[in-house]
Amino acid sequence: MAWTRDQMAERAAKELRDGFYVNLGIGIPTLVSNFIPPGMSVQLQSENGMLGMGPFPYEGEEDPDLINAGKQTVTALPTTSYFSSADSFAMIRGGHIDLAILGAMEVTETGDLANWMIPGKMVKGMGGAMDLVAGVKRVVVVMEHTAKSQPKLLHQCTLPLTGTAVIDMVITDLAVFTIDKENGTGMTLIELADGVALDEVKAKTEANFTVAPELLAKVA
């Protein structure tokens, strides 16, 4: 049985570490903030100039002046700070953000990412994704495994690239993969969603991947 969006976000939250500065992308990645382990200090950064975002507000308590980069209303904490978007991107480009968790349209076995536009569709702009994948220390993608029954894990992206060899981990509703972008050894399947069979993942994945020995021993 495939993971729900919340379960995918909960799995992504396992990649957080105490003291991390983290940028969460639009969509499923925003849900990761709901699963930060108790007692762990994680500072959430937004490209529009906010560091230390709080949880999403309850209905009726929204402040329209407090939004993240995806135009969602958020809350502030006693430690929240505000600054210009120029300073925000200086943090990103300067390598001061430990982890970015992003959505994607396509990912390749070598860690290429396409997530900013579909040709022919209206886009407001490229956003901050290109800066994030170039400047952040570690990049995790959280996405559905397929779109309209077509694989999103590919040999080569068909959509315009956001970055090449930039992704460290992919979490889908079916499985978790790591990508060794430094040594170029490709994609490794390390975890299956509860009730999902290896054959299903293979059938719905165009990208080449190996299976981690520990996982292979479990499913053999």
Side-chain angles (χ1 to χ4, degrees), residues 23-34:
N23 185 287
L24 300 179
I26 298 169
I28 299 173
T30 61
L31 301 174
V32 174
S33 61
N34 296 330

Side-chain angles (χ1 to χ4, degrees), residues 9-170:
E10 185 175 14
R11 175 58 184 84
K14 293 181 180 180
E15 302 306 309
L16 302 174
R17 298 293 181 268
D18 195 50
F20 264 19
Y21 292 87
V22 180
N23 185 287
L24 300 179
I26 298 169
I28 299 173
T30 61
L31 301 174
V32 174
S33 61
N34 296 330
F35 298 99
I36 298 173
M40 179 180 287
S41 174
V42 172
Q43 299 297 321
L44 300 180
Q45 190 257 14
S46 183
E47 297 101 299
N48 59 327
M50 192 173 179
L51 181 66
M53 289 184 292
F56 290 114
Y58 291 109
E59 186 175 353
E61 297 181 1
E62 302 91 341
D63 181 343
D65 290 326
L66 285 179
I67 59 172
N68 61 20
K71 309 297 189 295
Q72 297 170 303
T73 53
V74 294
T75 60
L77 301 171
T79 55
T80 298
S81 58
Y82 306 94
F83 35 83
S84 71
S85 59
D87 289 330
S88 179
F89 277 95
M91 292 178 186
I92 293 168
R93 294 168 183 166
H96 303 292
I97 305 301
D98 298 289
L99 176 66
I101 302 178
L102 307 174
M105 299 177 213
E106 295 177 344
V107 173
T108 71
E109 60 210 41
T110 56
D112 297 347
L113 169 67
N115 78 340
W116 76 278
M117 75 166 293
I118 298 175
K121 296 289 184 72
M122 182 179 292
V123 293
K124 297 179 181 179
M126 66 182 66
M130 292 182 183
D131 293 275
L132 287 165
V133 298
V136 173
K137 297 172 185 175
R138 189 163 185 261
V139 178
V140 173
V141 162
V142 182
M143 66 177 190
E144 303 289 345
H145 203 92
T146 61
K148 297 180 179 178
S149 299
Q150 296 301 308
K152 295 173 68 174
L153 292 171
L154 309 171
H155 298 302
Q156 187 173 358
C157 289
T158 63
L159 298 174
L161 290 179
T162 305
T164 59
V166 294
I167 300 171
D168 297 281
M169 175 178 280
V170 181

